[in-house]
Amino acid sequence: MTYPAAFYTALHEGTPGDLAFYASACEGVDSVLELGCGDGRVLAVMSEVAVRHGLDLHEGLLEAAEARLGDAVTLHRADMRAFDLGRTFDRIVLPFSGLYCLLGDADVARCLACVRDHLTPDGALLLDAYAADEFHPHAEPEDVGVKDWNELGHVLVDGAPYAVYEQSRWDPEDQRIDVTYRYAPMDGSPTTVDGVIEQRYLLRHQLEAHLRDAGLPTVQMWGGFGGEPWSAEGEHWVARARR
């Protein structure tokens, strides 16, 4: 992900309800690993878990996580497609569409194989993402990807105000949605900052096939963090997978 950490965290605050869900789902367990832990936003709400680990490739976000969490959490700068932490965990979590940052089937397979190898026998993988089963077969590229910049609102980065704009590019054949976020200083300065998030979304049957192939065939899926039934017309999904 090409994205300065301070600008990323100023805008991307997760999905409403995710913190309560992950905290509840990890209540009473001894160990948790978060993949794509970013600045430690999710791990911070699991303070009752004795052993917390976080893994990310973004050096700037890991520095932010260390500043937030201190030595209460063990952080690893590593690739979620190829990691070996030398232990297993009761829960592994992958929030906020993090699975979609893996841009090919082989990448997803490698990640889920690592997940399987790092789960205790009764452990579970928990993850969530935006749903694509409705728009993928019906929408046109211009419905998702736009040539113009859409204004999202304003954020503060290190105390300075910025207007934020978004530009998306959708490739339905490859199931790719790549988004550029542009931060324009509100003091009139012409210097802008861009952050890019590249994602490849999965449809439900593809996700379940990947989990099954990885040895995690017992899958529950919901349409939201409150346990709402999954629907092909929904905008979000939450999943729990076990051996």
Side-chain angles (χ1 to χ4, degrees):
M1 180 177 67
T2 306
Y3 212 139
F7 288 86
Y8 177 86
T9 56
L11 179 64
H12 303 282
E13 299 179 324
T15 305
D18 62 354
L19 293 181
F21 169 81
Y22 285 108
S24 176
C26 296
E27 187 175 353
V29 304
D30 294 325
S31 57
V32 173
L33 166 65
E34 182 184 1
L35 303 181
C37 67
D39 70 338
R41 180 183 65 90
V42 175
L43 287 169
V45 302
M46 301 178 182
S47 58
E48 300 304 314
V49 179
V51 177
R52 290 177 288 166
H53 286 234
L55 182 151
D56 208 299
L57 262 179
H58 196 297
E59 186 173 2
L61 289 174
L62 284 174
E63 290 174 354
E66 184 175 15
R68 179 199 290 264
L69 302 168
D71 58 6
V73 175
T74 302
L75 298 172
H76 308 270
R77 187 163 189 258
D79 191 328
M80 72 172 74
R81 298 169 297 182
F83 62 93
D84 183 356
L85 305 185
R87 60 158 298 149
T88 55
F89 298 86
D90 299 313
R91 298 287 184 271
I92 296 178
V93 302
L94 183 49
F96 202 33
S97 302
L99 187 69
Y100 291 174
C101 293
L102 303 172
L103 302 182
D105 285 332
D107 297 321
V108 175
R110 291 172 61 197
C111 173
L112 293 179
C114 287
V115 167
R116 179 200 61 225
D117 292 344
H118 284 77
L119 278 175
T120 60
D122 295 326
L125 167 67
L126 301 157
L127 63 168
D128 73 277
Y130 63 83
D133 287 77
E134 170 63 16
F135 76 75
H136 175 75
H138 302 301
E140 297 296 332
E142 56 267 24
D143 297 330
V144 178
V146 296
K147 295 182 180 179
D148 298 326
W149 292 91
N150 290 330
E151 185 170 3
L152 298 180
H154 301 157
V155 297
L156 288 175
V157 181
D158 296 330
Y162 289 80
V164 186
Y165 302 86
E166 176 189 64
Q167 186 181 69
S168 301
R169 186 177 71 254
W170 180 36
D171 182 345
E173 183 175 352
D174 289 337
Q175 298 179 203
R176 287 284 298 270
I177 297 180
D178 299 336
V179 185
T180 300
Y181 297 90
R182 177 158 293 171
Y183 297 75
M186 297 182 69
D187 63 2
S189 169
T191 303
T192 61
V193 176
D194 286 358
V196 179
I197 296 179
E198 299 174 309
Q199 293 192 330
R200 175 178 177 263
Y201 58 84
L202 296 173
L203 306 179
R204 175 170 181 167
H205 73 276
Q206 295 170 328
L207 171 66
E208 292 178 329
H210 274 296
L211 291 168
R212 183 175 60 250
D213 291 345
L216 300 169
T218 305
V219 182
Q220 296 170 281
M221 288 194 70
W222 302 278
F225 293 113
E228 300 88 343
W230 181 89
S231 168
E233 290 75 40
E235 297 182 354
H236 202 77
W237 58 260
V238 181
R240 178 187 181 109
R242 295 176 177 270
R243 288 186 172 87

